Amino acid sequence: MRNPVTGPEASVQNMFAQSTAVLTQPSPATFERYERGGGLRSALTYVMVAAVVSAVIAAVFSFLHSDVTFFGQLFSRLIGVPVGFLMFTGAVYLIGRTLFKGTGTYPEVAYTFALFYVPISIVMTLLGIIPILGWLISLALSLVLIYFGFLAVQSSMNLRDQTQAAVTLVLAWIAQAVVTGLIALFFGTLFAVGRAVTGG
């Protein structure tokens, strides 16, 4: 069923099948085949699956790290994963449309990115708990995410120029980093002021 704002709806089962296709046949053409198979609501539902899996795994294995807590990991990932996804895909859409006249819609961008982001991020979380090798695996999979992001930008924003697609991806990453930093600074300042006022 298609919604004019969020796009058509797709089940998680259908999205998993589509994820398998884009991961095993990586190309802009493959993404083009599925970018209208679902919309924003479907993308967010799928991303929340990754958020829940990531949160549970990180929380359960939080005892392996002295600088994190069970509930800290649980809530930070439940909130951080979908918010980060929305910020990044929003930046891809705005930058691609503004700078390079990309013609994709935001639901198409979100859905396209969700198809590869969700399975890869779940694998990253699962393998990231392995002592010593975890960070190396995460680094390798981060590079895989960049590659699929590059393909997804070309497809979802209809930017066939590879330089434009690469610039869009890099600027979106910078924009997300800046916004995340400002949010962290805001809440950090708020927390510090609160402690000063209460004498904590």
Side-chain angles (χ1 to χ4, degrees):
M1 181 176 182
R2 178 176 289 274
N3 182 294
V5 176
T6 62
E9 296 179 16
S11 68
V12 170
Q13 183 178 1
N14 286 341
M15 292 187 74
F16 181 76
Q18 293 170 16
S19 290
T20 302
V22 299
L23 291 175
T24 56
Q25 306 166 43
S27 72
T30 306
F31 278 114
E32 283 278 1
R33 193 183 314 153
Y34 299 111
E35 67 180 17
R36 293 184 180 88
L40 183 56
R41 183 178 302 164
S42 300
L44 289 177
T45 300
Y46 203 37
V47 169
M48 282 308 300
V49 171
V52 170
V53 172
S54 176
V56 170
I57 292 173
V60 168
F61 289 93
S62 60
F63 70 91
L64 295 175
H65 308 278
S66 59
D67 57 338
V68 297
T69 64
F70 179 91
F71 289 107
Q73 289 289 80
L74 188 68
F75 292 117
S76 66
R77 298 199 180 223
L78 283 175
I79 296 169
V81 169
V83 169
F85 178 83
L86 287 172
M87 284 196 297
F88 185 77
T89 52
V92 166
Y93 171 72
L94 291 174
I95 292 166
R97 189 174 181 85
T98 304
L99 292 185
F100 303 116
K101 309 303 180 187
T103 57
T105 65
Y106 179 63
E108 288 172 356
V109 173
Y111 190 80
T112 301
F113 272 76
L115 289 180
F116 70 89
Y117 172 77
V118 169
I120 293 175
S121 66
I122 289 175
V123 172
M124 285 178 71
T125 301
L126 287 169
L127 299 181
I129 63 176
I130 300 174
I132 303 175
L133 290 178
W135 70 273
L136 285 173
I137 294 171
S138 293
L139 176 61
L141 288 176
S142 294
L143 296 176
V144 173
L145 278 174
I146 292 171
Y147 172 68
F148 278 96
F150 175 65
L151 300 177
V153 170
Q154 294 178 64
S155 167
S156 63
M157 288 306 298
N158 300 311
L159 296 176
R160 289 300 183 259
D161 184 294
Q162 294 187 351
T163 300
Q164 292 180 351
V167 170
T168 298
L169 198 63
V170 170
L171 291 180
W173 179 81
I174 292 173
Q176 182 189 19
V178 170
V179 172
T180 301
L182 290 174
I183 292 173
L185 179 64
F186 172 76
F187 283 105
T189 303
L190 201 64
F191 180 71
V193 169
R195 290 192 64 180
V197 170
T198 58

